[in-house]
Coordinates of all heavy atoms in Angstrom, one line a residue:
V138 N 19.3 10.6 0.4 CA 17.9 10.4 0.8 C 17.6 8.9 0.7 O 16.9 8.4 1.6 CB 17.0 11.2 -0.1 CG1 15.6 10.9 0.1 CG2 17.3 12.7 0.1
A139 N 18.0 8.2 -0.4 CA 17.6 6.8 -0.5 C 18.2 6.0 0.6 O 17.6 5.1 1.2 CB 18.1 6.3 -1.8
R140 N 19.4 6.3 1.0 CA 20.0 5.6 2.2 C 19.3 5.8 3.5 O 19.0 4.9 4.2 CB 21.5 6.0 2.3 CG 22.1 5.4 3.6 CD 23.6 5.5 3.6 NE 24.2 5.1 4.9 CZ 24.3 3.8 5.3 NH1 23.9 2.9 4.5 NH2 24.8 3.5 6.4
Q141 N 18.9 7.1 3.7 CA 18.2 7.4 4.9 C 16.8 6.7 4.9 O 16.4 6.2 6.0 CB 18.0 8.9 5.1 CG 19.3 9.6 5.4 CD 20.0 9.1 6.6 OE1 19.3 8.9 7.7 NE2 21.3 8.9 6.6
S142 N 16.2 6.7 3.8 CA 14.9 6.0 3.7 C 15.0 4.5 4.0 O 14.2 3.9 4.7 CB 14.3 6.3 2.3 OG 13.0 5.6 2.2
A143 N 16.1 3.9 3.4 CA 16.3 2.5 3.6 C 16.6 2.2 5.0 O 16.1 1.2 5.6 CB 17.5 2.0 2.7
L144 N 17.4 3.0 5.7 CA 17.7 2.7 7.1 C 16.5 2.9 8.0 O 16.3 2.1 8.9 CB 18.8 3.7 7.6 CG 20.2 3.6 7.0 CD1 21.1 4.7 7.4 CD2 20.8 2.2 7.4
T145 N 15.6 3.8 7.6 CA 14.4 4.0 8.4 C 13.4 2.8 8.1 O 12.8 2.4 9.1 CB 13.7 5.3 7.9 OG1 14.7 6.4 8.2 CG2 12.5 5.6 8.7
R146 N 13.4 2.3 6.9 CA 12.6 1.1 6.6 C 13.1 -0.1 7.4 O 12.3 -0.8 8.0 CB 12.7 0.8 5.1 CG 11.7 -0.2 4.6 CD 11.8 -0.4 3.1 NE 11.5 0.9 2.4 CZ 12.4 1.6 1.7 NH1 13.6 1.1 1.5 NH2 12.0 2.7 1.2
E147 N 14.4 -0.3 7.5 CA 15.0 -1.4 8.2 C 14.7 -1.3 9.7 O 14.6 -2.3 10.4 CB 16.5 -1.4 8.0 CG 16.9 -1.9 6.6 CD 18.4 -1.8 6.3 OE1 19.1 -1.4 7.3 OE2 18.8 -2.0 5.2
A148 N 14.6 0.0 10.2 CA 14.3 0.2 11.6 C 12.8 -0.1 12.0 O 12.5 0.0 13.1 CB 14.7 1.6 12.0
G149 N 12.0 -0.4 11.0 CA 10.6 -0.8 11.2 C 9.7 0.4 11.4 O 8.7 0.4 12.1
L150 N 10.1 1.6 10.8 CA 9.3 2.8 11.0 C 8.6 3.1 9.7 O 9.2 3.0 8.6 CB 10.2 4.0 11.4 CG 11.0 3.8 12.7 CD1 12.0 4.9 12.9 CD2 10.0 3.7 13.9
A151 N 7.4 3.6 9.8 CA 6.6 3.9 8.6 C 7.0 5.2 7.9 O 7.4 6.1 8.6 CB 5.1 3.9 8.9
Q152 N 6.8 5.2 6.6 CA 7.0 6.4 5.8 C 5.8 6.7 5.0 O 5.4 5.8 4.1 CB 8.3 6.3 4.9 CG 9.5 6.1 5.7 CD 10.7 5.8 4.8 OE1 11.2 6.6 4.1 NE2 11.2 4.6 4.9
V153 N 5.1 7.8 5.2 CA 3.9 8.1 4.5 C 4.1 9.4 3.7 O 4.2 10.4 4.4 CB 2.6 8.2 5.4 CG1 1.4 8.5 4.7 CG2 2.5 6.9 6.3
A154 N 4.1 9.4 2.4 CA 4.4 10.5 1.6 C 3.1 11.2 1.2 O 2.1 10.5 0.9 CB 5.2 10.2 0.4
V155 N 3.1 12.5 1.1 CA 2.0 13.3 0.5 C 2.5 14.0 -0.7 O 3.4 14.8 -0.6 CB 1.4 14.3 1.6 CG1 0.3 15.1 0.9 CG2 0.8 13.5 2.8
L156 N 1.9 13.7 -1.8 CA 2.4 14.4 -3.1 C 1.6 15.6 -3.3 O 0.4 15.6 -3.5 CB 2.2 13.4 -4.2 CG 2.7 12.0 -4.0 CD1 2.5 11.1 -5.3 CD2 4.1 11.9 -3.6
R157 N 2.3 16.8 -3.3 CA 1.7 18.1 -3.6 C 2.0 18.4 -5.0 O 2.6 17.7 -5.8 CB 2.2 19.1 -2.6 CG 1.8 18.8 -1.2 CD 2.7 19.4 -0.2 NE 2.9 20.8 -0.3 CZ 4.0 21.5 0.0 NH1 5.0 20.9 0.5 NH2 4.0 22.8 -0.1
D158 N 1.7 19.6 -5.4 CA 1.9 20.1 -6.8 C 3.1 21.0 -6.9 O 3.1 22.1 -6.2 CB 0.7 20.8 -7.4 CG 0.9 21.2 -8.8 OD1 1.0 20.2 -9.6 OD2 0.8 22.4 -9.1
P159 N 4.2 20.7 -7.7 CA 4.4 19.4 -8.4 C 5.3 18.5 -7.6 O 6.0 18.9 -6.7 CB 5.1 19.9 -9.6 CG 5.9 21.1 -9.1 CD 5.1 21.7 -8.0
T160 N 5.2 17.2 -7.9 CA 6.1 16.2 -7.3 C 6.8 15.5 -8.5 O 6.2 14.6 -9.1 CB 5.4 15.2 -6.5 OG1 4.8 15.9 -5.3 CG2 6.4 14.2 -5.9
T161 N 8.0 16.0 -8.9 CA 8.7 15.5 -10.1 C 10.1 15.2 -9.8 O 10.7 15.5 -8.7 CB 8.6 16.5 -11.2 OG1 9.2 17.7 -10.8 CG2 7.1 16.7 -11.6
G162 N 10.8 14.6 -10.7 CA 12.2 14.4 -10.7 C 12.6 13.5 -9.5 O 11.9 12.6 -9.1
G163 N 13.8 13.8 -8.9 CA 14.4 12.9 -7.9 C 13.5 12.9 -6.6 O 13.6 11.9 -5.9
G164 N 12.8 14.0 -6.3 CA 12.0 14.0 -5.2 C 10.9 13.0 -5.2 O 10.5 12.3 -4.2
W165 N 10.3 12.8 -6.4 CA 9.3 11.8 -6.6 C 10.0 10.4 -6.6 O 9.4 9.4 -6.0 CB 8.6 12.0 -8.0 CG 7.8 10.8 -8.5 CD1 7.8 10.3 -9.8 CD2 6.8 10.1 -7.8 NE1 6.9 9.3 -9.9 CE2 6.3 9.1 -8.8 CE3 6.2 10.1 -6.6 CZ2 5.3 8.2 -8.4 CZ3 5.2 9.2 -6.2 CH2 4.8 8.2 -7.2
A166 N 11.1 10.2 -7.2 CA 11.8 8.9 -7.3 C 12.5 8.5 -6.0 O 13.0 7.4 -6.0 CB 12.8 9.0 -8.5
T167 N 12.5 9.3 -5.0 CA 13.0 8.9 -3.7 C 12.0 9.0 -2.6 O 11.4 8.1 -2.1 CB 14.3 9.7 -3.4 OG1 14.1 11.1 -3.5 CG2 15.5 9.3 -4.3
L168 N 11.8 10.3 -2.1 CA 10.9 10.5 -1.0 C 9.5 10.1 -1.3 O 8.8 9.6 -0.4 CB 11.0 12.0 -0.7 CG 12.2 12.5 0.0 CD1 12.4 14.0 -0.3 CD2 12.2 12.3 1.5
G169 N 9.1 10.3 -2.5 CA 7.7 10.0 -2.9 C 7.5 8.5 -3.2 O 6.9 7.8 -2.4
A170 N 8.0 8.0 -4.3 CA 7.7 6.7 -4.7 C 8.4 5.7 -3.8 O 8.0 4.5 -3.8 CB 8.2 6.5 -6.1
G171 N 9.4 6.1 -3.0 CA 10.0 5.2 -2.1 C 9.3 5.0 -0.7 O 9.8 4.2 0.1
A172 N 8.2 5.8 -0.5 CA 7.5 5.7 0.8 C 6.7 4.4 0.9 O 6.4 3.8 -0.2 CB 6.6 6.9 0.9
D173 N 6.3 4.0 2.1 CA 5.5 2.8 2.3 C 4.0 3.1 1.8 O 3.4 2.2 1.2 CB 5.4 2.5 3.7 CG 6.8 2.1 4.3 OD1 7.5 1.4 3.6 OD2 7.1 2.6 5.4
V174 N 3.5 4.3 2.0 CA 2.2 4.6 1.6 C 2.3 6.0 0.9 O 3.0 6.9 1.4 CB 1.2 4.7 2.9 CG1 -0.2 5.2 2.4 CG2 1.2 3.4 3.6
I175 N 1.5 6.1 -0.2 CA 1.6 7.4 -0.9 C 0.2 8.0 -1.1 O -0.7 7.4 -1.7 CB 2.2 7.1 -2.3 CG1 3.6 6.5 -2.2 CG2 2.3 8.4 -3.1 CD1 4.2 6.1 -3.5
L176 N 0.0 9.1 -0.5 CA -1.2 9.9 -0.7 C -0.9 11.1 -1.6 O 0.2 11.6 -1.6 CB -1.7 10.4 0.7 CG -1.8 9.4 1.8 CD1 -2.3 10.1 3.1 CD2 -2.8 8.3 1.4
A177 N -1.9 11.6 -2.3 CA -1.7 12.7 -3.2 C -2.9 13.6 -3.2 O -4.0 13.2 -3.0 CB -1.5 12.1 -4.7
L178 N -2.6 14.9 -3.5 CA -3.6 15.9 -3.6 C -4.2 15.9 -5.0 O -3.5 15.6 -5.9 CB -3.1 17.3 -3.2 CG -2.6 17.5 -1.8 CD1 -2.0 18.9 -1.6 CD2 -3.8 17.3 -0.8
P179 N -5.5 16.2 -5.1 CA -6.2 16.1 -6.4 C -5.5 17.0 -7.4 O -5.2 18.2 -7.1 CB -7.6 16.5 -6.1 CG -7.8 16.3 -4.7 CD -6.5 16.5 -4.0
G180 N -5.3 16.5 -8.6 CA -4.7 17.4 -9.7 C -3.3 17.6 -9.6 O -2.7 18.3 -10.5
A181 N -2.6 17.1 -8.6 CA -1.2 17.4 -8.4 C -0.4 16.8 -9.6 O -0.7 15.7 -10.1 CB -0.6 16.8 -7.1

Side-chain angles (χ1 to χ4, degrees):
V138 172
R140 173 169 172 74
Q141 291 303 316
S142 179
L144 291 173
T145 303
R146 189 177 302 115
E147 290 174 5
L150 300 171
Q152 300 172 66
V153 182
V155 176
L156 312 182
R157 297 153 57 207
D158 184 62
T160 298
T161 60
W165 166 230
T167 51
L168 289 156
D173 299 314
V174 176
I175 301 173
L176 310 177
L178 294 178

